[in-house]
Amino acid sequence: MTTEQTGYLSRAEGELVAYLRQAAEAIAPNAQPIMEGWAYTSQYDLLLREGRLFTPAPLPAEAQRLHPGFCFTNAAQLANDHPDLQLTYAEGYGAAQIVGVTQALHTPHGWAVTSEGLALDPTWPHEGASAYLGLPFADPSMWPHPLFGRSLLQEPPFLHEVLRSGLPDGLLADLGRPIYGYGSPSG
């Protein structure tokens, strides 16, 4: 059985969820008085409650690796440049295994998602990627511009509106796997 069938997390996914939970729990007590009535206390809380897990997969032969350091625009460019693959832009946090380091790097990241929930990453080598947890954005007009776009979840105007009011209906695509039993920082 695979993690998709059982609902269990892989080791890398479990470590990524634990990292996000620790970050959410560190912010939550301090944020509570300021964010009374907000839908989410932080981007970590948002990802833990609404995020989906995506299984790393190699890039298809027709796609190429793009420039390091531009993951958000790279992911949008991959999805836009290959409409035949029917990809969706996603962003959240990724876990990458660094050669010679025992603990994975957990960092904000962007990737593209197939209709099967596979993460296609034009920035990181497939061999180094170990886990992806994020939000798949259904509306291509929301995706970062391929030349100068930036992260949605790192930009205050968009992020603050979502944290305050919640996710608008239809914003997310129904892709990836939910975090069974791991969906809130306190439970």
Side-chain angles (χ1 to χ4, degrees):
M1 278 190 164
T2 66
T3 57
E4 291 85 359
Q5 295 165 325
T6 62
Y8 293 112
L9 303 179
S10 70
R11 178 178 171 202
E13 290 169 343
E15 289 172 359
L16 180 56
V17 168
Y19 171 84
L20 294 172
R21 177 176 281 157
Q22 182 178 19
E25 289 173 351
I27 290 173
N30 298 324
Q32 216 54 338
I34 298 167
M35 299 179 163
E36 189 71 31
W38 283 36
Y40 309 99
T41 57
S42 66
Q43 68 174 325
Y44 311 109
D45 180 37
L46 167 66
L47 288 170
L48 288 166
R49 291 173 39 199
E50 308 296 342
R52 295 298 189 101
L53 295 162
F54 301 95
T55 303
L59 283 177
E62 63 269 26
Q64 62 182 346
R65 184 112 7 251
L66 298 172
H67 305 288
F70 298 96
C71 63
F72 305 110
T73 56
N74 289 348
Q77 182 176 339
L78 175 65
N80 286 322
D81 287 354
H82 298 280
D84 54 311
L85 297 176
Q86 299 180 338
L87 300 174
T88 300
Y89 171 79
E91 74 172 67
Y93 269 70
Q97 196 60 52
I98 308 298
V99 176
V101 178
T102 56
Q103 180 114 15
L105 169 70
H106 301 114
T107 186
H109 195 58
W111 59 93
V113 178
T114 68
S115 59
E116 294 84 26
L118 300 175
L120 301 183
D121 191 337
T123 308
W124 290 349
H126 172 64
E127 302 77 33
S130 54
Y132 296 91
L133 191 157
L135 304 174
F137 292 92
D139 182 358
S141 72
M142 294 291 301
W143 301 354
H145 186 279
L147 295 178
F148 48 80
R150 295 170 28 170
S151 163
L152 297 171
L153 298 178
Q154 304 296 313
E155 291 297 314
F158 176 80
L159 179 60
H160 288 165
E161 183 57 34
V162 168
L163 294 180
R164 183 181 308 120
S165 303
L167 291 165
D169 289 340
L171 180 67
L172 301 182
D174 187 17
L175 299 169
R177 298 177 285 121
I179 310 169
Y180 297 106
Y182 295 87
S184 71
S186 60

